[in-house]
Amino acid sequence: MNGADFCHEVDGCPGLYVDAFRGKYLRRTQDPDNAFILTHYHGDHYQNLPRDGKHQGLALIHCTVVTAALLTRVHGIPEMWVIGHEYGQTFSYKIKGQHNGKQVAITFYDANHCPGAGIVVIQFPDGTTHLHTGDMRYHEKFKSYPLLVEAVTAKKLDIVYLDTTYSHPKHDFVPQEEAVQEIADTVAQLL
């Protein structure tokens, strides 16, 4: 997880934060006008988010349905602070400080990383589109995500926040299908 501030603050949308549960951002969870997006339930993304009912809100945490279940059942975040969204379901966030009610549209799509992981498409009223990848493993199905296809076709993908945790050449993994098959073969041999 990248520690740079600009990776956690959505440009042009004050009060909207992605995977920002540490340092100065953790204090911002107390402001009900802020909103937090959690791309998936891995420790380097939820970092210092208090456990076992100690999280007091007031800002809502938006994530996928699976990540919401993990946050509430495993992490102990009270359900009143967590909103789970289905993949492909768009929801709105009122841009903080906008008295005219301008909102961004936010949509999660499957990131092909771990259960509940999502990439996040953020669309602004002026047509600007941002993509936050969280942790993702590219898959051909990404080409079928309607809002990504629309943005790429119109050449309107304005900012990509790319999590580069595994971009170093030392992380040369076998294809996912090959890894899954090897695990299945090993389990079959052991049984």
Side-chain angles (χ1 to χ4, degrees):
M1 181 76 236
N2 192 322
D5 288 348
F6 68 86
C7 294
H8 304 288
E9 299 174 6
V10 177
D11 187 48
C13 195
L16 182 62
Y17 305 99
V18 180
D19 294 337
F21 297 101
R22 60 181 178 77
K24 67 180 181 182
Y25 298 111
L26 198 55
R27 291 185 298 277
R28 294 177 186 173
T29 63
Q30 298 300 306
D31 184 341
D33 291 330
N34 291 340
F36 287 74
I37 293 172
L38 180 60
T39 59
H40 64 291
Y41 190 72
H42 277 172
D44 60 327
H45 291 259
Y46 63 71
Q47 296 172 0
N48 297 321
L49 186 60
R51 290 181 168 274
D52 303 321
K54 293 182 182 126
H55 176 68
Q56 300 300 310
L58 301 167
L60 297 175
I61 301 169
H62 295 270
C63 52
T64 66
V65 172
V66 171
T67 300
L70 291 166
L71 277 176
T72 57
R73 296 179 192 156
V74 176
H75 208 84
I77 303 294
E79 288 183 13
M80 64 189 294
W81 305 124
V82 180
I83 300 178
H85 300 276
E86 297 287 344
Y87 290 129
Q89 172 193 3
T90 300
F91 64 98
S92 297
Y93 169 73
K94 182 180 177 285
I95 300 173
K96 191 173 178 178
Q98 294 289 319
H99 302 290
N100 56 7
K102 286 188 179 179
Q103 299 182 336
V104 292
I106 303 168
T107 308
F108 288 97
Y109 288 112
D110 183 5
N112 194 40
H113 173 59
C114 66
I119 61 174
V120 184
V121 177
I122 304 168
Q123 298 172 297
F124 288 78
D126 67 359
T128 300
T129 302
H130 295 188
L131 171 65
H132 203 297
T133 67
D135 287 349
M136 57 155 244
R137 181 190 292 246
Y138 177 76
H139 191 277
E140 286 291 315
K141 67 184 171 187
F142 289 14
K143 293 179 181 178
S144 70
Y145 295 162
L147 298 177
L148 275 183
V149 170
E150 180 183 313
V152 170
T153 301
K155 296 187 182 342
K156 289 295 291 178
L157 193 54
D158 301 284
I159 295 179
V160 176
Y161 300 90
L162 180 64
D163 189 320
T164 57
T165 304
Y166 291 102
S167 66
H168 192 280
K170 74 178 182 179
H171 302 292
D172 185 19
F173 300 115
V174 298
Q176 185 178 27
E177 294 79 14
E178 187 179 321
V180 169
Q181 187 60 52
E182 186 173 329
I183 292 168
D185 292 347
T186 302
V187 169
Q189 288 174 0
L190 293 172
L191 297 177

